[in-house]
């Protein structure tokens, strides 16, 4: 299981008795958090009492591949010059937990011994100065460690830290390259690896075709039985469905054998495949694999990372594309879909398997899952390559039920409203250079994306109820200037 190290700050000045008490309290807090938070082991590491113990603790966390984050807590005062070398060593997401062993002040008995032992208000500030001076990106959470809202904040930090760790080890397979002439889906793959850890490599579609051709009758029968159990078979063209079933089996093998967490394809490079993967890719997304159409490796990687971040939460997460609008005054909505590839994680109705002609790519009509989408508050997030840095754009959106049936639309879809209103939200996205491909999630919030951007030191533009187009354009100008100064 992944680990979070709890490192406590103190110093030698108070004597061994105090340091024993510091360690004891630290164990109690780490144990409490560990019991309250699932999916990760929160473990008291050690108390920093001088530079050497600080370096040792930070190096231990950095070198432990199972460690996804570090929580630091200043129980007493801890002179921060002794933290410099350690913090320079530390390469894991950092949470500065500004808490106390005690909730309330013991007004009747408080004396100087108590004050010296329980002075996070004091020691936390000394430590914070050094983090800020060194430019250490970190999350600060303030409050008593047993308070529910504090625990919730730590859980969210751990979700994002887990996603950052996942990102550092993510492999993305590109079947074919980027769609010809398309700009926003392209990007600097070397820089993506330097900054986020994504290992993005090209594979000939023939490598997948070989696995498709090797699918056995037994594998195919089992997959078709699964489809029949889960979905409504709304087609007579079973041959087309079987073709997609083979693609799913082949993709599963390819991804598992290669250790990939995400992939892209493109309808411009399907040599040896009779159809564009539709149902197959939908199924893969439903299992948590990241996907980007038309060679969009950035959205593919984000999809896998956000799925990891959303693990254990309610809600849906997947690849999406802004397609078309309803411009009715006051009732404006975006219809989001893709040619085929909409994750069944978004389904609010039992998906139907249908086969329809696809007017692009010149291949056989592909099978796909068709369904109406979920509703609820969510985010739409994209990443664009600005040439000298990556930019994340995060829009707060409200997914809504489709206002009317769309019986002729042969693809799954979701619909949403923009914030603060349709005209402002869409214009803001466009000013920011936002892509047509996004990852949409009703499991994640703007705050999660903010934290991810902070911990990965990525530029972020947020579009929400507070967005004002004039201020936004000034902000974008400022971001260009800041990036040039870096
Ligand atoms: Mn597309």
């Amino acid at each position: 299981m992944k680990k979070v190290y709890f490192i406590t700050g103190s110093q030698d000045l108070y004597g061994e008795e105090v340091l024993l008490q510091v360690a004891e309290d630290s164990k109690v807090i780490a144990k409490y958090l560990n019991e309250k938070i699932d999916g990760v082991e929160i473990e008291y590491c050690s108390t920093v009492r001088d530079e050497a113990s600080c370096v040792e603790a930070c190096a231990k966390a950095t070198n432990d591949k199972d460690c996804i984050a570090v929580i630091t807590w200043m129980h007493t005062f801890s002179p921060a010059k002794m933290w410099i070398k350690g913090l320079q060593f530390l390469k894991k997401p950092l949470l500065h937990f500004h808490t106390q062993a005690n909730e309330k002040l013991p007004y009747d008995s408080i004396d100087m011994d108590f004050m010296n032992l329980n002075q996070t208000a004091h020691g936390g500030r000394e430590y914070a100065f050094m983090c800020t001076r060194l430019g250490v990106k970190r999350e600060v959470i303030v409050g008593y460690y047993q308070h529910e809202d504090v625990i919730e904040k730590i859980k969210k930090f751990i979700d994002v830290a887990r996603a950052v760790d996942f990102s550092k080890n993510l492999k993305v397979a590109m079947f074919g390259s980027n769609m010809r002439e398309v700009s926003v889906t392209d990007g600097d793959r070397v820089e993506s690896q330097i900054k986020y850890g994504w290992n993005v490599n090209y594979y000939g579609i023939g490598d997948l075709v070989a696995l498709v051709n090797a699918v056995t009758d037994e594998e195919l029968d089992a997959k078709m039985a699964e489809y029949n159990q889960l979905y409504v078979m709304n087609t007579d063209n079973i041959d087309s469905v079987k073709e997609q079933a083979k693609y799913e089996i082949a993709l599963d093998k390819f991804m598992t054998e290669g250790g990939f967490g995400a992939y892209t394809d493109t309808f411009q490079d399907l040599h040896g495949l009779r159809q564009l993967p539709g149902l197959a890719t939908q199924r893969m997304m439903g299992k948590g694999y990241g996907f980007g159409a038309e060679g969009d490796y950035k959205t593919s990687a984000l999809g896998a990372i956000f799925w990891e971040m959303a693990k254990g939460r309610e809600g849906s997460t997947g690849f999406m594309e802004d397609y078309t609008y309803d411009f009715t005054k006051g009732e404006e909505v975006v219809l989001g879909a893709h040619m085929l590839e909409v994750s069944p994680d978004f389904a609010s109705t039992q998906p139907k398997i249908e086969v329809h002609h696809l007017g692009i790519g010149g291949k056989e009509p592909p099978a796909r899952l068709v369904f109406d989408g979920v509703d609820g508050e969510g985010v739409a997030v994209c990443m664009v390559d600005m040439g000298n840095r990556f930019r994340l754009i995060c829009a707060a959106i409200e997914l809504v039920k489709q206002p009317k049936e769309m019986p002729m639309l042969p693809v799954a879809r979701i619909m949403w409203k923009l914030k603060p209103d349709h005209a402002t939200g869409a214009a803001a996205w466009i000013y920011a250079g936002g892509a047509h491909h996004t990852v949409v999630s009703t499991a994640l919030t703007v705050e999660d994306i903010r934290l991810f951007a902070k911990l990965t030191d990525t530029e972020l533009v947020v579009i929400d109820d507070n967005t004002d187009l004039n201020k936004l354009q000034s902000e974008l100008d400022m971001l260009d200037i800041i990036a040039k100064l870096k």
Side-chain angles (χ1 to χ4, degrees), residues 293-294 319 321 338 436-437:
E294 293 101 28
F319 173 71
E321 179 169 271
H338 203 262
H436 52 271
H437 285 170

Side-chain angles (χ1 to χ4, degrees), residues 25-290:
D25 292 340
S26 303
K27 282 176 198 160
V28 168
I29 295 178
K31 186 163 177 281
Y32 187 87
L33 297 181
N34 194 44
E35 280 165 7
K36 288 282 177 181
I37 299 172
D38 295 332
V40 71
E41 201 72 43
I42 300 173
E43 188 180 304
Y44 168 65
C45 173
S46 57
T47 299
V48 167
R49 52 200 287 173
D50 51 28
E51 185 183 83
S53 57
C54 182
V55 169
E56 193 184 334
C58 292
K60 183 179 172 188
T62 297
N63 293 332
D64 185 346
K65 68 174 173 47
D66 289 328
C67 171
I68 59 164
V70 168
I71 299 175
T72 49
W73 170 47
M74 301 305 115
H75 193 330
T76 67
F77 196 77
S78 183
K81 286 182 183 174
M82 69 193 199
W83 281 85
I84 294 174
K85 207 181 271 185
L87 287 171
Q88 286 172 332
F89 249 93
L90 190 63
K91 300 286 181 238
K92 298 290 165 96
L94 177 64
L95 165 60
H96 176 186
F97 193 18
H98 199 58
T99 191
Q100 294 184 159
N102 56 300
E103 180 189 23
K104 299 178 194 314
L105 281 180
Y107 290 99
D108 294 336
S109 62
I110 187 168
D111 56 13
M112 282 315 291
D113 284 347
F114 181 92
M115 291 258 278
N116 283 331
L117 178 62
N118 301 288
Q119 51 173 322
T120 211
H122 181 201
R125 282 168 167 76
E126 165 71 1
Y127 169 74
F129 162 71
M130 188 49 69
C131 290
T132 299
R133 171 73 196 263
L134 291 171
V136 176
K137 302 288 178 189
R138 80 281 191 193
E139 180 73 337
V140 177
I141 296 177
V142 179
Y144 183 56
Y145 72 95
Q146 291 187 18
H147 288 171
E148 267 318 307
D149 60 324
V150 171
I151 300 282
E152 282 308 309
K153 285 178 188 168
I154 296 174
K155 276 186 192 169
K156 286 182 174 170
F157 166 80
I158 288 173
D159 285 345
V160 177
R162 193 180 61 243
V164 170
D165 176 71
F166 177 87
S167 172
K168 295 284 178 197
N169 299 294
L170 177 61
K171 287 176 73 180
V172 184
M174 293 182 76
F175 294 112
S177 186
N178 194 66
M179 181 180 165
R180 289 189 279 277
E181 307 294 346
V182 176
S183 58
V184 77
T185 48
D186 220 332
D188 183 340
R189 289 185 278 152
V190 174
E191 188 59 25
S192 299
Q193 185 158 2
I194 292 169
K195 196 158 177 65
Y196 304 107
W198 308 344
N199 179 268
V200 187
N201 283 301
Y202 162 90
Y203 292 85
I205 194 72
D207 293 351
L208 187 65
V209 171
L211 291 172
V212 170
N213 292 339
V215 170
T216 65
D217 289 345
E218 290 73 30
E219 287 171 321
L220 188 55
D221 289 348
K223 189 56 73 184
M224 290 299 288
E226 198 182 347
Y227 290 173
N228 276 304
Q229 196 199 344
L230 289 171
Y231 311 119
V232 179
M233 196 64 74
N234 202 26
T235 179
D236 296 330
N237 191 347
I238 301 302
D239 183 51
S240 172
V241 181
K242 283 186 173 171
E243 187 69 8
Q244 292 283 336
K246 286 189 208 167
Y247 298 172
E248 184 193 337
I249 295 163
L251 278 164
D252 248 332
K253 280 184 194 160
F254 189 94
M255 304 294 279
T256 306
E257 282 165 17
F260 297 103
Y263 69 98
T264 71
D265 63 16
T266 167
F267 63 88
Q268 289 174 330
D269 188 353
L270 294 175
H271 303 287
L273 292 184
R274 286 161 47 197
Q275 306 174 9
L276 175 67
L279 170 59
T281 285
Q282 292 178 290
R283 293 270 309 162
M284 293 299 282
M285 280 193 277
K287 288 182 267 196
Y289 287 104

